């Protein structure tokens, strides 16, 4: 895969981003003095690679790739990348394993000895409910467990999960910088030029799909907004919920293998009002934020077979009547729109905002 060096982004990062992240910490404390910053946001603001002068940035298939050379020879060091599939879950027959990672969720499940992938491809994010499932998502085995039913969200339930740190390293730009960068399908050529992206490349396709996803209408009753800065994400969320809010994200102890996790605790975080922000594949941090009717958020305490613990955020949708009838969730769970509440865990770099009780 060809990795295009984004020299313009590197300039932004070195001149604006690193210095500005301290300002964003200050901004958060002044805007939300009683709201702890969630780990998903802290990780973006304090990414280790941002402080390494030898870091290089490139847009790969479906996202951004980062190499932190740490002063080592070319080709060495730590490489972080987001693949073209974006989000997903691993599993082996006879069980389905769900991997919740910072890049999202993927699914591999055993089927006649062949692995099957169900994940998020650009333009077909499963957390955007206007889309139908693609053939690539369904592949040849529809019996995968990316989504689950609310009735299974209780103490004593076991799930095969895998928490992975396949991080999407895209970082926040300060609002002034982000607002100066075009983010519209009307300015695609200018965006390609700014980020040194070839128009016919897979990198270009990723940029176009993310912008398209942001510009398309949502489902009926959904308020949506693509935040291109931390400040704009905070502003959108507080405009819907007020300033007395809680922001939470999934946290796992460390990378784990696919294993059985038992639910040992479930704590409801809200009363049907929430804003959920999903990190997108883009050259810098962009969050697809949406507020939908009858959305419940839960903090789920999990313990793995090896003793590893995780606090995962689960989002449950009580009303799915307006979702695309061919959405992945309906095809996987074999249910119809509007019949039963449907849930999913949030990847580690996504954020849910709820009013404080």
């Amino acid at each position: 895969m060809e990795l295009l060096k984004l020299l313009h982004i590197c300039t932004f990062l070195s001149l604006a981003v690193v210095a500005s992240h301290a300002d964003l910490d200050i901004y958060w404390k002044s805007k939300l003095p009683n709201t702890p910053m969630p780990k998903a946001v802290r990780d973006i603001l304090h990414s280790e690679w941002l402080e390494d002068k030898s870091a290089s940035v490139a847009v790969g298939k479906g996202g951004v790739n980062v190499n932190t050379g740490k002063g080592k020879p070319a080709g060495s060091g730590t490489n972080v990348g987001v693949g073209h599939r974006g989000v997903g879950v691993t599993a082996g027959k006879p069980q389905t394993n769900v991997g919740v990672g910072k890049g999202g969720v993927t699914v591999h499940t055993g089927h006649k000895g062949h692995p099957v992938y169900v994940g998020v491809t650009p333009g077909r994010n499963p957390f955007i409910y206007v889309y139908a499932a693609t053939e690539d998502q369904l592949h040849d085995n529809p019996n995968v467990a990316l989504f689950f039913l609310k009735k299974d969200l209780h103490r004593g339930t076991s799930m095969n999960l895998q928490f992975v740190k396949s991080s999407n390293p895209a970082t926040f730009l300060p609002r002034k910088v982000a607002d100066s960068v075009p983010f519209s399908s009307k300015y695609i050529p200018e965006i390609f030029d700014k980020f040194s992206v070839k128009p016919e490349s897979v990198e270009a396709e990723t940029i176009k799909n993310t912008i398209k996803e942001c510009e398309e209408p949502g489902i009926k009753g959904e308020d949506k907004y693509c935040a291109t800065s931390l400040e704009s994400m905070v502003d959108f969320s507080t405009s819907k919920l007020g300033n007395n809010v809680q922001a939470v994200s999934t946290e796992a102890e460390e990378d784990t293998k696919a294993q059985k996790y038992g639910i040992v605790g479930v704590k409801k975080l809200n009363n049907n009002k929430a804003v959920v922000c999903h990190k997108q594949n883009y050259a810098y941090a962009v969050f697809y934020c949406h507020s939908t009717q009858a959305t419940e958020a839960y903090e789920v305490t999990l313990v793995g077979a090896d003793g590893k613990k995780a606090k995962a955020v689960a989002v449950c949708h009580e009303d799915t009547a307006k979702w695309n009838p061919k959405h992945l969730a309906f095809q996987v769970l074999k249910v119809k729109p509007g019949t039963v509440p449907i849930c999913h865990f949030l990847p580690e770099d996504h954020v849910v905002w709820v009013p404080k009780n």
Side-chain angles (χ1 to χ4, degrees):
M1 175 183 69
E2 179 184 10
L3 298 179
L4 302 179
K5 300 295 182 182
L6 301 185
L7 300 180
H8 294 287
I9 295 180
C10 288
T11 300
F12 277 139
L13 293 177
S14 61
L15 298 181
V17 175
V18 176
S20 72
H21 279 184
D23 294 333
L24 291 179
D25 276 319
I26 295 171
Y27 166 80
W28 181 283
K29 292 174 183 177
S30 65
K31 181 76 173 182
L32 301 169
N34 300 313
T35 302
M37 184 180 287
K39 186 175 184 297
V41 175
R42 295 199 309 270
D43 286 348
I44 294 173
L45 291 181
H46 304 293
S47 296
E48 180 179 311
W49 67 271
L50 282 175
E51 300 175 359
D52 179 22
K53 295 179 181 180
S54 64
S56 63
V57 182
V59 172
K61 290 185 178 180
V64 181
N65 292 272
V66 177
N67 177 273
T68 57
K70 300 284 186 182
K72 296 177 183 179
S76 62
T78 303
N79 291 283
V80 182
V82 180
H84 71 288
R85 287 166 173 165
V87 239
V89 180
T90 39
K93 190 177 180 180
Q95 298 171 322
T96 302
N97 299 324
V98 181
V100 183
K102 288 189 177 179
V105 188
T106 56
V107 178
H108 289 281
T109 180
H111 179 60
K112 297 181 180 179
H114 299 288
V116 176
Y117 177 86
V118 177
V120 181
T121 56
R124 289 297 182 267
N125 187 327
F127 305 130
I128 299 177
Y129 308 113
V130 71
Y131 291 134
T134 64
E135 288 299 320
D136 286 341
Q137 286 180 317
L138 292 173
H139 206 63
D140 64 340
N141 185 354
N143 300 312
V144 293
L146 178 57
F147 291 85
F148 60 94
L149 298 177
K150 185 182 175 183
K151 69 179 182 65
D152 296 322
L153 187 60
H154 59 81
R155 185 182 178 92
T157 295
S158 293
M159 299 181 180
N160 283 339
L161 303 172
Q162 184 176 15
F163 292 87
V164 294
K165 303 293 184 183
S166 55
S167 178
N168 174 345
T171 192
F172 287 115
L173 294 182
R175 174 148 50 189
K176 288 184 179 179
V177 177
D179 288 350
S180 72
V181 180
F183 188 81
S184 167
S185 56
K186 296 179 181 178
Y187 300 104
I188 289 294
E190 184 177 343
I191 294 170
F192 289 168
D193 181 65
K194 184 174 290 291
F195 295 145
S196 302
V197 173
K198 295 179 180 179
E200 303 304 319
S201 66
V202 292
E203 295 84 1
E205 191 66 21
T206 295
I207 289 174
K208 288 190 294 185
N209 282 334
T210 294
I211 292 175
K212 177 175 180 284
E213 212 169 63
C214 288
E215 292 181 339
E216 287 185 341
I219 60 174
K220 186 176 180 180
E222 176 187 32
D223 290 326
K224 56 171 285 192
Y225 173 72
C226 276
T228 57
S229 66
L230 176 62
E231 298 97 320
S232 60
M233 179 168 65
V234 170
D235 285 352
F236 176 77
S237 301
T238 55
S239 72
K240 301 300 178 185
L241 304 172
N243 288 331
N244 190 26
V245 293
Q246 181 180 8
V248 294
S249 58
T250 292
E251 298 184 26
E253 282 189 353
E254 58 185 68
D255 287 7
T256 65
K257 60 184 178 182
Q259 62 175 314
K260 183 173 288 187
Y261 277 83
I263 297 179
V264 297
V266 178
K267 176 184 176 183
K268 189 174 182 180
L269 298 174
N270 69 328
N271 290 311
N272 294 329
K273 292 181 65 177
V275 172
V276 186
C277 294
H278 306 285
K279 195 177 186 189
Q280 301 296 95
N281 285 326
Y282 205 68
Y284 51 89
V286 172
F287 281 80
Y288 180 105
C289 297
H290 57 158
S291 175
T292 55
Q293 297 174 355
T295 300
E296 296 181 347
Y298 296 84
E299 182 180 83
V300 184
T301 304
L302 301 157
V303 177
D306 65 356
K308 295 290 193 303
K309 297 179 181 179
K311 285 189 176 180
V313 176
V315 174
C316 295
H317 301 275
E318 298 290 318
D319 183 6
T320 61
K322 302 299 189 298
W323 292 19
N324 189 309
K326 295 184 178 179
H327 186 272
L328 179 63
F330 302 133
Q331 301 201 47
V332 166
L333 299 174
K334 304 298 183 185
V335 296
K336 294 182 179 181
T339 57
V340 292
I342 292 176
C343 306
H344 60 80
F345 286 115
L346 283 184
E348 287 190 72
D349 58 356
H350 297 204
V351 181
V352 63
W353 299 76
V354 296
K356 284 187 177 178
N357 295 328

